[in-house]
Amino acid sequence: MDIHLTNVSKTYGRRRALDPVSLNAGHGVLGLLGPNGAGKTTLLRIMATVIAPTAGQVRLLGHDCALAAGRAAIRRRLGYVPQECGFPAGFTGFEYVDYVAILKEWADRRTRHDEVRRVLAVMGLTDVAGRRIRRLSGGMRRRLVIAQALLGDPALLVLDEPTVGLDPEQRLRFRDTVSGLAEGRSVVVSTHQTEDVVALCPRVVVLHEGGIRYDGSPSGLAAMADGRVWTAADRDPGAVLAWRSEGGGLRQIGVPPAGAEPVPPTLEDGYLLLVGGTGERQEVPA
Amino acid sequence: MIAWHADAQLLAAYADGRLDLARTTSVEQHLLGCGTCRATVAAVADRPLLDRVWAETLDVLDRPPVSAAERILTAVGLAPSAARLASKASSAQRAWLWSCALLAAFAIAAPRTEGWVIMWFLVLAPLVPVIGVALAYGPDTDPMHEVVAAAPYSRLRLILLRSLLVIPVTGALVLVTGLTVPGGPTMSALWLLPGLALSAMTLALEARLGALPVAAALSLAWIVFAVGTRVGTGTVMTAYGPAVQLVCLTTLVAVAAFAAYGRHQAGRSS
Amino acid sequence: MGHGVDGVANPGATGSNPSDPTDATLLSAVAGADRDAFAVLYTRHAPWLQVRLRRRCGDPDVVAEALQDTFVAVWRGAGRWGRRGEVPAWLWGIAIRRLIDLLARRPSHDALTAASDPVVRSAEEQVLLGVEYGDAAGALNRLSPELQAVVRATVLDGLTTREAARLLHIPQGTVKTRMARARSLLRQALS
């Protein structure tokens, strides 16, 4: 088991960002779903050793995060993609990844450059690596940040909304890359794209208002909305959420009125039901 | 007519240098125009050399250009990778560099008789290294801070490397004050110790409280102190009196000892 | 090659198949920073360039450096080809000049002169050479090694007198004299 979080909480002054949560995870991809402000980024920052929890124990890859030596050991085998990532002014893509590689203790230039080339090739950025970052598209910049996370073949990958800004084709390629990487590694991905979770994650955790509301398989999450999803022409007062679905009519979740015919629930339905009306509805499925 | 292609033996002889000039000429002219024969001669080319050259070529193409600052740092003995970390200034640091240049220009250009100009220069000069150090690390000034924080490189080492540029800038400022401020070189040396003490305190406290808040608080405290002594005793030089120098020196030593102790402890627990 | 260059293009993409990209196409792609095209160009041309350079300089490290400089120059200057003449000739022009630059920096070098051992030729070769050069082939081979070197440098490699002088480490005047001598000898032999 690579990830052990025991009663981990985080408080900023008066505001509690994360309730005491406990989470154990091993190899494979773990999906973290939740609306904005649910505490996903806080949790991932703790997992990436970027911030320390206010309380609780964090053990990653067999090391204790409370010790400086433990953190250093974890960071040597960690790849992190933050939600917002800036770039130093005037850097090219290659220089950026090279800089991070130095921070990951690749002191020898030749081996370091070979490794930089390797991760750039994995993310399909070889041809644009020589370009200044400010001249790269948003999708390419995102891929650049993912590339730096792959340096050194990390055992633990923490990805905070990595597919934001990627077009559907790039998202597909990203899913392929991550599925391939999950072999023999622990990957934690936070997202609010439920399709990513369905495609990628054998296990999903739903975070809401700082607490874990669900921890299990995607099909189990969908099953939570069993019998609670129906379509009708008009919005029913018992519906918690309603939106226009393909084929006309309103797809609604909540307490179905008598006579309404329930439709098979998707993972998204289960998720939305769980987070109540505060869940974010991304777009109508095409 | 059927196109003529050189057979493998002829090409092997050519590659070995066993052909006379006329036939070498013939083969080489032919190769310029025939892709098939070029492929055939590839079989007798030096494979390991070709692989090596390819790797070297890629390396040259990808190599980020080495800046002058990096060359200087490497020349004085810093490892090339450390030199790289030290020489990439963030935009905040560049802004700081420009303000230092402005400050120096101001000191040079301002008329010597204007006491308040000199006074303000002296009040602000110790803050130059403080701010320089504060800009070296942290979410407020580093656009890729989170990625940096998640990397194993020693934080202290990184801050020190990135603050390296504070040294020449401070030195240049010392030179400027030595040349332009009445009182000469002794004057410029006087503000150095308080500046160093404040910087050291910034370094010591930034881990817990964040670089910019600490730097801001210390800067404010220093300004209040300096202006206060000016108001109280009529000259800002009291702020640089021997008592103050002693306090600064003690602070420096204390911070250094504390840091060394902390590292010793950390070394023990790993 | 260690970085998978061998497998990048299919083995037959020598440019001799009509369906393979032409060298001109590859060069335009390289001008647009296309790494794959660059790799194909390298697979196609680096081998023969290496062999030909080897015939000019015995030191493999110098040859390697010249080859590397050549391809770095190709990457950076692919846009400058401008469709003058054929790509292989252009590449060789770059390569030989890089070699000259490197050799000029070295006090002594092991530049190969033309081999002069007569080798038994196959009947086919004799016929073909006769078609191409006629008796000039024999005349050429009978020139002394110094004259052959000058002829090779100026005629075969297309160098200017100055460049030939740098390659052979002789004064420019000597290059001119030797060329004149070679020309008159060949004219005598052919008449």
Side-chain angles (χ1 to χ4, degrees):
Chain A
M1 278 280 145
D2 285 342
I3 302 173
H4 283 288
L5 268 59
T6 317
N7 294 328
V8 166
S9 66
K10 182 70 183 174
T11 318
Y12 289 104
R14 287 272 187 86
R15 187 175 70 86
R16 170 169 267 173
L18 208 60
D19 289 340
V21 298
S22 295
L23 188 63
N24 293 320
H27 289 176
V29 185
L30 173 72
L32 204 59
L33 264 181
N36 283 345
K40 298 197 303 289
T41 298
T42 309
L43 184 59
L44 289 176
R45 280 198 180 130
I46 292 175
M47 274 194 217
T49 70
V50 171
I51 60 178
T54 316
Q57 286 100 39
V58 183
R59 280 194 79 83
L60 300 170
L61 302 173
H63 298 281
D64 186 357
C65 285
L67 302 171
R71 285 196 294 276
I74 294 165
R75 287 169 184 166
R76 283 187 189 108
R77 302 167 64 205
L78 168 73
Y80 176 48
V81 174
Q83 188 174 26
E84 275 151 32
C85 192
F87 303 93
F91 267 38
T92 64
F94 190 95
E95 284 176 325
Y96 168 73
V97 183
D98 186 51
Y99 192 91
V100 180
I102 298 177
L103 292 173
K104 294 199 173 181
E105 300 178 327
W106 292 72
D108 174 53
R109 189 184 60 80
R110 294 301 305 275
T111 46
R112 185 174 73 235
H113 282 187
D114 286 339
E115 179 66 6
V116 171
R117 270 191 286 270
R118 184 188 74 84
V119 299
L120 286 173
V122 167
M123 294 309 297
L125 292 169
T126 309
D127 283 341
V128 299
R131 242 189 260 175
R132 299 241 176 268
I133 296 179
R134 61 170 172 265
R135 289 180 48 214
L136 294 177
S137 69
M140 283 179 196
R141 293 186 199 187
R142 206 80 196 129
R143 276 147 69 196
L144 204 59
V145 183
I146 299 171
Q148 67 72 27
L150 300 178
L151 285 168
D153 219 16
L156 173 60
L157 265 176
V158 178
L159 312 170
D160 197 347
E161 311 242 3
T163 56
V164 162
L166 298 185
D167 64 43
E169 192 221 323
Q170 288 167 341
R171 240 188 288 144
L172 258 158
R173 272 212 299 229
F174 168 77
R175 280 186 220 151
D176 265 332
T177 314
V178 173
S179 316
L181 288 171
E183 203 62 38
R185 250 183 221 95
S186 302
V187 182
V188 181
V189 180
S190 94
T191 177
H192 50 231
Q193 309 268 22
T194 45
E195 311 91 59
D196 285 344
V197 173
V198 170
L200 207 49
C201 310
R203 180 171 162 202
V204 62
V205 165
V206 175
L207 213 57
H208 184 46
E209 287 170 350
I212 293 183
R213 299 281 177 265
Y214 176 83
D215 181 351
S217 72
S219 49
L221 182 55
M224 296 199 78
D226 227 352
R228 313 272 284 276
V229 188
W230 73 100
T231 53
D234 302 307
R235 187 186 173 124
D236 188 271
V240 172
L241 269 182
W243 62 95
R244 202 149 292 281
S245 69
E246 59 194 2
L250 284 173
R251 190 183 179 90
Q252 315 186 42
I253 55 175
V255 180
E261 193 147 321
V263 295
T266 64
L267 178 132
E268 191 178 25
D269 297 325
Y271 165 65
L272 289 171
L273 200 62
L274 211 51
V275 299
T278 62
E280 278 175 28
R281 186 72 188 77
Q282 289 312 299
E283 74 256 348
V284 178
Chain B
M1 179 178 145
I2 305 167
W4 177 74
H5 291 299
D7 67 32
Q9 279 174 316
L10 180 63
L11 291 175
Y14 159 64
D16 283 344
R18 288 180 279 125
L19 294 186
D20 55 51
L21 179 60
R23 286 191 299 163
T24 306
T25 308
S26 188
V27 168
E28 290 184 345
Q29 283 303 108
H30 176 74
L31 282 177
L32 284 182
C34 177
T36 316
C37 289
R38 286 197 289 265
T40 315
V41 90
V44 291
D46 186 341
R47 276 282 111 190
L49 184 146
L50 288 171
D51 288 350
R52 187 162 48 98
V53 168
W54 177 248
E56 298 281 344
T57 307
L58 276 187
D59 187 56
V60 172
L61 297 189
D62 288 335
R63 208 181 292 168
V66 175
S67 65
E70 276 176 79
R71 264 192 281 261
I72 296 171
L73 289 171
T74 331
V76 297
L78 213 55
S81 52
R84 202 151 173 83
L85 290 177
S87 61
K88 289 284 166 191
S90 66
S91 26
Q93 285 178 311
R94 278 202 284 260
W96 172 78
L97 269 174
W98 280 110
S99 5
C100 293
L102 275 173
L103 195 63
F106 189 59
I108 295 173
R112 314 288 168 83
T113 51
E114 289 293 329
W116 64 269
V117 164
I118 303 303
M119 188 205 90
W120 274 110
F121 178 82
L122 284 177
V123 169
L124 294 178
L127 301 181
V128 161
V130 172
I131 296 173
V133 164
L135 294 179
Y137 188 90
D140 303 306
T141 53
D142 187 359
M144 48 187 279
H145 169 75
E146 288 199 57
V147 169
V148 171
Y153 202 86
S154 156
R155 242 174 100 260
L156 182 62
R157 195 142 187 266
L158 182 61
I159 296 174
L160 289 176
L161 280 174
R162 283 179 171 181
S163 315
L164 268 185
L165 97 107
V166 167
I167 296 175
V169 171
T170 311
L173 220 50
V174 167
L175 205 62
V176 164
T177 48
L179 293 175
T180 63
V181 169
T186 33
M187 185 70 84
S188 50
L190 281 177
W191 65 258
L192 198 57
L193 210 49
L196 287 177
L198 289 170
S199 312
M201 282 178 65
T202 311
L203 274 176
L205 296 172
E206 69 85 30
R208 215 144 311 193
L209 304 170
L212 279 190
V214 170
L218 286 175
S219 306
L220 200 60
W222 169 259
I223 293 176
V224 165
F225 170 70
V227 173
T229 55
R230 165 74 174 81
V231 167
T233 64
T235 166
V236 77
M237 291 315 296
T238 324
Y240 291 95
V244 178
Q245 300 287 337
L246 197 57
V247 168
C248 292
L249 188 60
T250 320
T251 314
L252 254 181
V253 170
V255 167
F258 190 69
Y261 176 71
R263 297 198 61 175
H264 177 64
Q265 286 293 84
R268 290 237 318 257
S269 63
S270 61
Chain C
M1 280 167 221
H3 295 263
V5 172
D6 253 345
V8 166
N10 61 67
T14 56
S16 47
N17 271 338
S19 59
D20 295 331
T22 63
D23 288 334
T25 322
L26 288 177
L27 265 188
S28 324
V30 168
D34 183 340
R35 276 287 177 94
D36 291 332
F38 187 58
V40 174
L41 207 64
Y42 188 87
T43 314
R44 265 190 214 175
H45 294 287
W48 71 266
L49 282 170
Q50 183 258 319
V51 172
R52 191 163 172 176
L53 283 172
R54 182 83 176 78
R55 302 285 92 239
R56 305 292 184 278
C57 171
D59 186 344
D61 289 332
V62 176
V63 168
E65 202 178 334
L67 197 60
Q68 181 191 313
D69 287 350
T70 303
F71 276 91
V72 169
V74 166
W75 172 264
R76 292 184 178 150
R80 258 179 263 136
W81 173 55
R83 296 177 181 266
R84 293 180 309 262
E86 293 295 317
V87 172
W90 181 70
L91 291 173
W92 172 250
I94 299 176
I96 186 63
R97 283 171 181 87
R98 287 281 181 259
L99 184 69
I100 293 173
D101 285 341
L102 287 170
L103 290 176
R105 286 188 233 145
R106 284 164 157 75
S108 64
H109 67 279
D110 180 11
L112 292 177
T113 54
S116 48
D117 302 337
V119 180
V120 174
R121 298 173 205 160
S122 72
E124 186 203 51
E125 281 175 55
Q126 280 189 307
V127 166
L128 286 159
L129 281 173
V131 164
E132 283 204 48
Y133 289 109
D135 294 325
L140 211 52
N141 293 334
R142 279 191 295 275
L143 293 175
S144 69
E146 301 88 34
L147 296 186
Q148 285 195 6
V150 167
V151 169
R152 176 209 292 273
T154 53
V155 176
L156 184 57
D157 293 341
L159 302 178
T160 64
T161 320
R162 189 150 166 265
E163 288 164 338
R166 284 182 80 202
L167 174 66
L168 303 170
H169 280 221
I170 53 181
Q172 279 192 50
T174 316
V175 173
K176 289 194 191 129
T177 337
R178 288 185 187 173
M179 264 318 291
R181 181 120 185 83
R183 248 182 251 122
S184 75
L185 280 175
L186 286 171
R187 233 177 277 130
Q188 278 177 20
L190 292 175
S191 57

